[in-house]
Amino acid sequence: MSPTATTKNKRRPARSGAELTAEQNAESGFQASEKLSENMQRVLVDLIELGSQGKQAHWNVVGTNFRDTHKQLDEIIDAAREFSDTVAERMRALHALPDGRSDTVSETTTLPEFPQGEIATTEVIDLITERLEAAVGTCREVHDEVDEEDPTTADILHGIIESLEQYAWMVSAENRTPAKRG
């Protein structure tokens, strides 16, 4: 590594991407604007981070209802991974370049950092609900701009929002108590 190159960690810097092939240069069709690419990238990093934090919670959750919480986290992780893959592949279909590198994700996600160590099920439920809602918030923030440029991509966001909001409701219900009947 040259003395002027800097990275946050001890890895060597990545080489720049490969040159476009003649076939890639011949691709045509709808191409995402810079703003659409940026908006989808925002969604992508939050979904990747949601999956990663879900795994951290899954490995370290302890306490009452451990097994159910552990299994529910697996469902959320699977959904986050599937959604992130769908978003990244949609970006590529629109000639945008998704960036799921760990440094990019940690530097740009809107999700707060997940605590280290064992965490009680009740706290995990609150932490995961907060992160589900943050990922939904990002989808909702970018939705109108995405829909304006590409309704097909907005439809993908609709599915993500619907699913993550349902998970947030189901997860948060674990810590709720019924409202008093009057």
Side-chain angles (χ1 to χ4, degrees):
M1 182 172 6
S2 71
T4 58
T6 60
T7 59
K8 286 183 67 173
N9 53 39
K10 297 188 185 311
R11 292 184 283 182
R12 63 179 172 75
R15 293 177 294 144
S16 60
E19 296 296 318
L20 293 178
T21 65
E23 289 172 344
Q24 289 168 320
N25 286 326
E27 288 179 359
S28 59
F30 180 77
Q31 293 194 8
S33 68
E34 186 175 332
K35 188 62 177 172
L36 178 58
S37 297
E38 289 170 1
N39 283 332
M40 294 307 292
Q41 178 66 28
R42 288 178 59 198
V43 171
L44 177 63
V45 296
D46 278 2
L47 292 170
I48 293 169
E49 185 67 10
L50 178 62
S52 180
Q53 288 194 23
K55 219 32 160 165
Q56 183 68 19
H58 172 85
W59 294 325
N60 292 295
V61 65
V62 295
T64 306
N65 281 342
F66 161 80
R67 189 170 193 276
D68 289 339
T69 304
H70 190 76
K71 287 183 166 282
Q72 191 170 41
L73 287 167
D74 268 339
E75 292 175 21
I76 293 166
I77 294 158
D78 289 346
R81 288 177 174 170
E82 183 177 327
F83 293 147
S84 64
D85 191 52
T86 298
V87 168
E89 288 180 355
R90 179 66 184 162
M91 290 175 73
R92 290 302 297 140
L94 301 180
H95 309 283
L97 298 173
D99 188 351
R101 296 175 299 155
S102 57
D103 289 349
T104 300
V105 172
S106 67
E107 290 170 10
T108 59
T109 186
T110 65
L111 277 60
E113 185 176 2
F114 201 84
Q116 182 182 9
E118 288 185 338
I119 304 175
T121 53
T122 53
E123 188 178 357
V124 164
I125 287 162
D126 290 342
L127 291 168
I128 291 298
T129 300
E130 177 186 24
R131 280 138 183 88
L132 286 162
E133 291 172 349
V136 166
T138 298
C139 289
R140 287 188 174 279
E141 282 175 25
V142 304
H143 176 272
D144 289 349
E145 283 185 358
V146 169
D147 191 39
E148 203 171 285
E149 183 173 344
D150 184 27
T152 303
T153 300
D155 285 348
I156 292 169
L157 294 180
H158 294 153
I160 293 169
I161 291 167
E162 177 187 12
S163 182
L164 295 185
E165 284 180 338
Q166 184 174 14
Y167 279 122
W169 159 62
M170 292 178 132
V171 171
S172 68
E174 190 76 31
N175 282 350
R176 292 192 55 226
T177 55
K180 302 252 184 211
R181 295 182 189 184

